[in-house]
Amino acid sequence: MIDTLLTHAPILIIAAPLLTAFILPLIDKVSTKGRNILALCAVVFTLILVVMLAQDVIENGIRIYTLGGENAHMALPSGYHVPVRITLVVDALSAFMVIISSLISFVGLLYSFAHVKGEGTGKFYTLFLLMLVGMLGMEMTGDLFNLFVFLEILSISSAALVAFYIRKGQPIEASIKFIIISSLAALFVLFATGLLYGEYNLLNMGALASEINSQTGGLTLVSQFAFILLLASFSLKAGSAPMHMWLPDTYGEAPGAISMFLVAGTQASLYALLRVIFTIYNTALDTSIIGGLLIILGLVSIFIGVTMALIQIDLKRLIGYAAVAEVGYILLAVGVGFFELAQGELSEYGLKALQGGIFHIFNDVLDIGLLFLVAGAIIYLTKETNLNKLGGLARSMKYSSFFFLIGLVAVAGLPPLNGFASKILIYEAIYKVSPLLSIIAILASIFMLAIFVKIFYSVFMGPQLPSLSNIPKTPLLMLTSMAILSGIMIFFGLFPDYIVDHLVTPAVNALVDNFTYITSITGGI
Amino acid sequence: MTLDTFGGYWSPLVWLLAFIVTFLIGYIIWGLGEKRHKTGEQLKPFISGLAEPSKKDVHIQGGNVYWGFTESLKEYYKYATKMHTGILNDYILWFIGIAAIFFLVIILPGVL
């Protein structure tokens, strides 16, 4: 039974939430409690499968699942020389990402049970599960066309959820911005996919990587152009500055749990960017130019993110700008890692930079996610997002203020929480490339601390404002969701070596070693 | 509990021990302090006999924090806030502009 589940885990991980998503509106007609239980069962089942699959992949290597072939584990069924069927490829990096997405979906779902009330909640959970499907699909797909398909599923469901609560038209405006930006990025991805298909007759990423990396005389103009389209699109979707403007608009208007889920969605786009750079193109690219571009994007994101966050007076927009800065840290670290990947061999500090960057993907989702959950609870209870109209909430929201404090310490990169563990890896590794990069990164963390101290002070401290003296208690499920995230953050902070050794390092090795990825698909053709 | 970094290591255990020791020293010093402190009437603010303003009036709002910092950087913020217009066309323009820069940096050196 367990073996069969594990064999079909890659497709079941996508199929379970997908099928449940379309059953939910029917169950909703009969029982809202039944609908919630079914949605929770689907997410828990997915999470269990993800953990089983991740453990298997980290211990035994890449797992391939080919749809429609006589054997699910054969990438080249029926005597074909190139993979033509839909293939799911799960290596340690994919496993790392699907753990993040499924964990966040579990926490987000619990939170939403308390947060989402009123009409249309059945559709909310359908869209929520479709969002999860989009993310998981992006993180496990082995071909570029399905990457586009899952990106579209993620974008459309996210846009609908951003506009779920209609207040003065603002969520609708944010949603329209999001869907247009996402569609533009997706069309660029489709165009790039078409270009690569025209050039190589291939859609499978492993087979494409094999062709591109075995070319003599450098990359063709078409494949370079396709790379630029993919780089620009996924940078946009990852929220990299100066293409980040949609991000605070969207995060600021979405319901609390969806803002957190959107953070995981941007990380899925970041994953796609890493896949394109490291797996498909790898050293066929000029590593110093691409690494340099990523470093610049990272620095610009950090700088614009923290400075713009400092002047915000809307609670969730402020956290949105902080999320831009956090993406900057990841890009900076990954850029240094790629910069160092000159001959397919990483220097020690390049490896540490990548470890810091990949670890920070998880930490970013946890830290910013927790802050969004607390912000969602504040807005839910006070109906207020303006920092100037909030104050003294620590008296009535004791637990939430404690969880916010944990998020604050983590996102500012203060010891002993998880944010510090990944940031110290980044600081020390990038110092080797240029001490200036480290100085900027550390200064930005100090800024981040200042920003969140400002929120903590203006929202939770000070005298109790008369208008906020009679707010109701925070629902238990909201607090439970925050407690789960906080617990994980404390665990990651206290045992960073365990996470780095068992999750991050295998993911980094899978990212750098595209040869294993290629040979697992093509068998070395 | 020890994470190897490039330049050394990070041990949360050592940090926690240091934190606990520092906290205990601080707590002992605090315990040796003034014993005559009382709660209640003593805690009320005294403003030269004037009436205490309402809580709402004395609250320092979020927008006031770091005013000096943002004021000294107002030239930068003038540009930075202008950049964030909220208009979708501008967002797309930035995207196209960055894609064009990528094109110039990645393709052009090989073509020329």
Side-chain angles (χ1 to χ4, degrees), chain A residues 177 180 184 232 242 244-245 249 303 307 310-311 321 352 388 390 415-416 420 428 447 450 454 458 463 493-494 497, chain B residues 1-2 4-7 10 12 15 55 59 61-63 66 69-70 76-77 84 86 88 91 94-95 98 103 107:
Chain A
K177 282 179 183 172
I180 291 176
L184 186 70
H244 64 285
M245 284 94 162
D249 291 355
F303 184 74
T307 53
L310 199 69
I311 57 166
Y321 276 107
K352 290 290 177 193
N388 289 339
L390 291 166
F420 179 77
E428 291 198 4
F447 259 93
K454 163 186 157 173
S458 58
L494 293 180
D497 51 324
Chain B
M1 283 178 81
T2 303
D4 286 326
T5 61
F6 179 66
W10 158 242
W15 189 91
K55 299 290 184 197
H59 177 57
Q61 298 174 333
Y66 306 129
F69 181 84
T70 51
Y76 162 72
Y77 278 116
H84 295 79
L88 189 60
Y91 295 4
W94 275 104
F95 172 55
I98 295 298
F103 181 82
I107 291 188

Side-chain angles (χ1 to χ4, degrees), chain A residues 54-201:
Chain A
Q55 194 181 7
D56 179 65
V57 165
I58 288 167
E59 281 173 9
N60 305 318
I62 294 181
R63 189 172 271 268
I64 294 166
Y65 194 90
T66 307
L67 280 82
E70 59 266 43
N71 183 338
H73 298 304
M74 281 172 67
L76 297 170
S78 314
Y80 282 98
H81 294 292
V82 290
V84 291
R85 290 196 162 92
I86 293 173
T87 312
L88 301 172
V89 183
V90 188
D91 64 359
L93 181 65
S94 303
F96 180 80
M97 295 304 299
V98 290
I99 286 174
I100 297 175
S101 302
S102 46
L103 179 71
I104 291 299
S105 71
F106 171 67
V107 175
L109 194 69
L110 283 183
Y111 186 90
S112 299
F113 287 152
H115 190 240
V116 180
K117 299 271 166 64
E119 263 184 63
T121 43
K123 296 183 189 78
F124 177 92
Y125 294 110
T126 296
L127 292 165
F128 187 92
L129 290 183
L130 285 178
M131 223 177 136
L132 175 62
V133 169
M135 265 181 243
L136 295 172
M138 277 181 76
E139 290 156 356
M140 291 197 298
T141 184
D143 72 87
L144 270 180
F145 183 75
N146 281 296
L147 182 69
F148 158 76
V149 171
F150 285 115
L151 178 66
E152 282 287 72
I153 293 173
L154 174 62
S155 301
I156 293 166
S157 50
S158 303
L161 284 172
V162 168
F164 197 77
Y165 279 136
I166 302 165
R167 293 185 308 270
K168 298 173 190 169
Q170 287 159 331
I172 294 178
E173 186 191 335
S175 175
I176 288 172
K177 282 179 183 172
F178 180 77
I179 195 66
I180 291 176
I181 289 286
S182 299
S183 302
L184 186 70
L187 282 174
F188 269 49
V189 171
L190 185 63
F191 185 29
T193 306
L195 287 176
L196 288 172
Y197 185 69
E199 187 80 348
Y200 301 107
N201 285 323

Side-chain angles (χ1 to χ4, degrees), chain A residues 486-516:
Chain A
S486 304
I488 296 169
M489 286 158 64
I490 292 169
F491 179 78
F492 277 23
L494 293 180
F495 303 97
D497 51 324
Y498 183 83
I499 304 303
V500 169
D501 292 345
H502 292 87
L503 269 179
V504 176
T505 304
V508 170
N509 292 338
L511 180 67
V512 175
D513 178 20
N514 74 334
F515 180 73
T516 307

